[in-house]
Amino acid sequence: MVFMMTALLFLVIINPPHVASLSKTGSFAFALAAEENNEANAILKWKDSLDNQSQTLLSSWTGTSPCEWVGITCDVSNSVSSIILQNFGLRGSLIDLKELALFQNKLSGIIPSGVGNLTKLTLLSLYKNRLSGSIPSSISNLVDLNILSLCQNKLCGPIPSTIGKLAELIYLILYSNSISGPIPSNIGNLRQLKYFIAQNNYLSGPIPSGLNNWTNIFRVRLDDNQLTGDIRHAFGVYPSLDYIDLSNNKLYGPLSTNWGKCHNLTSLKISNNNLSGSIPPKLAEAIHLHVLRLSSNRLTGKIPKELGKLTLLIELSLSNNKFSGNIPIEIGSLLALESLELAVNNLSGSIAKQLQGLLRLRNLNLSRNLLKESIPSELGHLQSLQNLDLSGNLLNGTIPMTLGQAPRLETLNLSRNNLSGVIPSSFNDMMSLTSIDISYNQLEGSLPHIPSLPFSFLVYEFLERGSLDKILSNETLAIALDCKNILLDLEYEAHVSDFGTAKLLKADSSNWTSFAGTLELAYTMEVNEKCDVYSFGILTLEILMGKHPGDLISSLSSSLSTARNFALKDLLDPRLCHPVNPIAEEVILMANTWFACLNESPHSRPTMDQVAKDFVIPRSIP
């Protein structure tokens, strides 16, 4: 059955007897979107279900061109747009309808409770529409239903508590709605269920223990919800399970050894929860695993060496936990591995040289651990490596010459270590490299020219106190500052940095002096002395306001007349008392200066020499 047939359903549900009216526009009452032949077949099939007299009344309904049939209107594309059979005296029923598919339309409104009258339905597919309201509890009357697909709508409210009555259900597809509340406890009664897809909703509460009954389950997605509770006993052993994602919830407890008994499992994703304890070595018995994501939890202990038995593993993500000990050398046996994420843990020891055998590895992130000794030269032999991050460790020694020979390396981060020596000359030939960070080390010597980088090779200096904006927001710290600070070290000493790039700092990130010149220079690539004048104007305005000027900058820069319309008292730091003469006169002089510095045209701004004279040489207020 296709769209035309399914649309006719609503003749029974919505319209009065002997009245049939369908339209492509409107809400849930109608949707027609099928090819002409399929439309014709669906209409004719419905005609055949009517009594003989009714079929005689529709004698023009023959062939494959429904646009020529009585009561039917088509649009410019020859697709049926309406069926009007009012007062034809038709006799028949749609109660035996088995498939209702109205997906990928623009249907709005609620799902009518009358849908529960179609007790012979085996398929109800309404996905990718604009349906709202809750899922009607009458759906539980559809006891023959195999497929229920309501995803990508605007449905809210809970999953009906009677969902467990749908004993023949195989596909339950609810993702990308606003469905809330708990997963019904009787959902475990759906023993035929193979697909439970409900990510991107607001489901809450624990996962029902009845899920142990899902012996046929193949794929489960409950990620991006608000599920809570202890996970250790929520899931059983599933011989057919291929894929499960529980990421981005609030689940806690240790990992169950049952996952290792799911021998057909290829993807296990439980990242960004509150899991604790260690990874059970028996997890390695799930020998068909391709993806294992357990990042952003509270897992502890050592990374089990048994994971080296998962020879089909493509992705291993254990970042942002509390793992300790060495990186198991057995990881080097995972020859299919393409991504290895072990960042933000307490891993120690050296980087295993055995990683050189991972010839398919594209992403290697070992950052923010306690790794020591030197960077193994063998890493340069990883011919597929595109991203390498070893930052934030205790690595020493020199940068291996072989790293410059990695043919596909695009991003390289070696910052915040104890590396010394010179940057290898082999970096001169790195045609694929687009980003490199070697800051906060003990490197020396000349900088190579890297032809693939779009801008100059940059080396940064670490500044502990962060940006001026961060300091000004703290009244106690702001009192200690003079107006020359932009980025600040431990002694609040000023360091040159462009205003714009200083604003790019994240609140809790490390802070580095940026490239020489101004952000304006980076965009215009026009080198002149007026670039720094603009930054000085922004800095002066920031100090006067006591905060980042934000969107005010663009309006002040675009028109000098617009800038002068702002009342100066409305721009001054509200934490301070309004100044009185003679300080007020100096503030006005300063304001006039930054007005001029922010002129949209660089050539219309004063020079820094003129600005300096304005502050040093007394002059009258215009």
Side-chain angles (χ1 to χ4, degrees):
M1 305 279 182
V2 291
F3 287 98
M4 173 56 68
M5 187 60 187
T6 59
L8 294 173
L9 156 72
F10 292 97
L11 302 180
V12 173
I13 296 178
I14 296 176
N15 293 321
H18 310 305
V19 177
S21 177
L22 299 176
S23 173
K24 271 193 176 178
T25 59
S27 63
F28 188 79
F30 178 79
L32 292 178
E35 296 179 357
E36 185 174 348
N37 287 345
N38 287 335
E39 290 178 332
N41 291 335
I43 296 172
L44 292 174
K45 192 164 188 177
W46 175 73
K47 173 191 172 185
D48 292 341
S49 70
L50 303 177
D51 63 15
N52 291 335
Q53 181 180 353
S54 298
Q55 292 188 41
T56 301
L57 293 171
L58 300 176
S59 59
S60 68
W61 286 21
T62 59
T64 59
S65 300
C67 298
E68 301 173 1
W69 299 349
V70 64
I72 292 181
T73 303
C74 292
D75 58 21
V76 294
S77 65
N78 289 325
S79 181
V80 175
S81 60
S82 65
I83 302 177
I84 301 176
L85 301 174
Q86 189 169 352
N87 295 323
F88 266 57
L90 301 179
R91 295 178 179 274
S93 172
L94 289 173
I95 204 67
D96 292 330
L97 190 69
K98 292 187 177 182
E99 296 183 0
L100 174 55
L102 300 173
F103 54 85
Q104 293 184 355
N105 284 284
K106 298 179 181 179
L107 303 179
S108 59
I110 65 171
I111 301 174
S113 59
V115 73
N117 295 328
L118 304 172
T119 55
K120 298 297 180 66
L121 276 184
T122 60
L123 180 150
L124 177 57
S125 182
L126 308 176
Y127 72 84
K128 210 169 186 180
N129 279 288
R130 300 171 182 174
L131 301 173
S132 57
S134 59
I135 302 172
S137 58
S138 61
I139 278 185
S140 62
N141 295 335
L142 310 180
V143 293
D144 292 332
L145 204 62
N146 299 143
I147 300 173
L148 177 58
S149 180
L150 306 177
C151 59
Q152 293 178 284
N153 279 289
K154 300 179 181 179
L155 299 173
C156 58
I159 299 174
S161 59
T162 53
I163 195 75
K165 294 182 179 180
L166 303 180
E168 301 300 318
L169 200 62
I170 298 174
Y171 293 81
L172 179 55
I173 316 295
L174 305 175
Y175 70 87
S176 295
N177 280 288
S178 296
I179 299 172
S180 58
I183 300 174
S185 58
N186 62 5
I187 202 169
N189 295 341
L190 308 180
R191 296 175 182 269
Q192 304 301 318
L193 199 66
K194 292 184 178 181
Y195 290 80
F196 182 30
I197 313 297
Q199 76 271 20
N200 296 321
N201 279 291
Y202 297 95
L203 296 172
S204 58
I207 296 175
S209 58
L211 270 59
N212 291 331
N213 297 328
W214 286 354
T215 54
N216 293 311
I217 197 70
F218 180 80
R219 189 177 183 92
V220 176
R221 288 202 62 176
L222 293 172
D223 44 304
D224 293 293
N225 279 286
Q226 299 174 0
L227 297 170
T228 59
D230 195 329
I231 196 176
R232 80 183 82 188
H233 300 306
F235 294 93
V237 178
Y238 307 103
S240 300
L241 184 63
D242 174 80
Y243 182 108
I244 185 166
D245 193 344
L246 306 173
S247 302
N248 302 315
N249 281 287
K250 301 175 183 178
L251 302 168
Y252 61 84
L255 283 168
S256 171
T257 57
N258 283 339
W259 296 118
K261 299 175 183 178
C262 299
H263 293 153
N264 287 305
L265 188 62
T266 64
S267 293
L268 176 60
K269 304 176 182 180
I270 321 181
S271 60
N272 199 22
N273 279 279
N274 293 311
L275 303 185
S276 58
S278 59
I279 297 178
K282 288 188 176 181
L283 179 61
E285 294 177 7
I287 57 174
H288 289 99
L289 269 178
H290 287 64
V291 176
L292 178 59
R293 292 184 190 171
L294 301 175
S295 59
S296 298
N297 282 288
R298 299 178 181 178
L299 297 170
T300 58
K302 295 183 177 181
I303 298 174
K305 63 181 181 180
E306 286 82 1
L307 294 185
K309 299 177 182 178
L310 301 175
T311 55
L312 299 179
L313 206 60
I314 296 174
E315 178 184 342
L316 177 59
S317 180
L318 305 178
S319 295
N320 198 20
N321 280 287
K322 298 180 180 179
F323 292 115
S324 57
N326 296 336
I327 299 174
I329 60 175
E330 288 79 6
I331 297 295
S333 301
L334 305 178
L335 301 183
L337 203 63
E338 295 181 5
S339 180
L340 178 58
E341 293 269 358
L342 304 179
V344 197
N345 281 290
N346 296 315
L347 298 173
S348 57
S350 60
I351 299 175
K353 296 181 179 180
Q354 287 77 6
L355 297 182
Q356 67 174 317
L358 306 180
L359 298 182
R360 296 184 181 180
L361 196 65
R362 294 185 296 177
N363 177 53
L364 176 59
N365 190 348
L366 307 179
S367 64
R368 297 176 64 182
N369 279 287
L370 303 172
L371 299 172
K372 299 179 180 180
E373 301 185 21
S374 59
I375 300 173
S377 61
E378 288 81 2
L379 294 185
H381 300 152
L382 300 177
Q383 300 297 300
S384 300
L385 193 62
Q386 296 175 354
N387 306 294
L388 175 61
D389 192 345
L390 305 178
S391 63
N393 280 287
L394 304 173
L395 299 171
N396 54 36
T398 60
I399 299 176
M401 180 74 71
T402 54
L403 279 188
Q405 300 169 359
R408 293 182 175 86
L409 193 62
E410 296 177 4
T411 63
L412 175 64
N413 192 344
L414 304 177
S415 65
R416 300 182 65 81
N417 280 289
N418 295 318
L419 301 174
S420 58
V422 299
I423 301 171
S425 59
S426 58
F427 278 36
N428 290 331
D429 302 320
M430 299 189 73
M431 301 303 296
S432 60
L433 197 64
T434 59
S435 174
I436 180 171
D437 188 349
I438 56 172
S439 57
Y440 209 44
N441 280 290
Q442 310 298 323
L443 299 169
E444 58 187 19
S446 60
L447 297 176
H449 171 64
I450 300 178
S452 60
L453 290 180
F455 301 107
S456 299
F457 193 100
L458 307 178
V459 179
Y460 298 86
E461 178 185 1
F462 179 67
L463 298 175
E464 294 85 349
R465 293 293 183 184
S467 70
L468 175 66
D469 178 65
K470 178 180 177 182
I471 300 299
L472 284 177
S473 64
N474 186 307
E475 286 192 40
T476 303
L477 295 177
I479 295 173
L481 298 180
D482 60 56
C483 66
K484 296 180 294 183
N485 293 290
I486 301 177
L487 285 179
L488 311 166
D489 61 19
L490 280 171
E491 287 74 36
Y492 294 97
E493 191 69 28
H495 290 251
V496 176
S497 177
D498 178 77
F499 167 82
T501 50
K503 296 299 102 183
L504 295 177
L505 294 175
K506 294 182 180 179
D508 300 319
S509 69
S510 300
N511 310 301
W512 315 87
T513 55
S514 66
F515 51 87
T518 67
L519 186 62
E520 181 183 51
L521 173 60
Y523 284 112
T524 64
M525 299 306 294
E526 180 181 354
V527 181
N528 62 65
E529 62 181 345
K530 304 299 181 67
C531 295
D532 286 328
V533 173
Y534 181 86
S535 292
F536 180 81
I538 296 294
L539 173 61
T540 307
L541 178 58
E542 183 175 10
I543 293 171
L544 287 174
M545 296 180 66
K547 63 179 182 179
H548 180 220
D551 295 335
L552 182 63
I553 298 173
S554 57
S555 58
L556 291 177
S557 300
S558 60
S559 172
L560 189 60
S561 61
T562 301
R564 294 189 184 280
N565 287 333
F566 283 92
L568 184 58
K569 63 182 180 63
D570 294 332
L571 297 178
L572 297 179
D573 191 338
R575 296 172 296 180
L576 305 177
C577 296
H578 284 179
V580 295
N581 287 332
I583 297 177
E585 294 182 354
E586 294 183 6
V587 171
I588 294 174
L589 289 173
M590 184 183 298
N592 287 332
T593 299
W594 61 254
F595 274 134
C597 292
L598 296 181
N599 196 295
E600 189 176 30
S601 172
H603 299 290
S604 299
R605 301 170 193 160
T607 64
M608 280 307 300
D609 181 63
Q610 292 170 332
V611 171
K613 289 179 179 178
D614 284 343
F615 282 101
V616 174
I617 301 174
R619 58 186 176 92
S620 61
I621 300 174

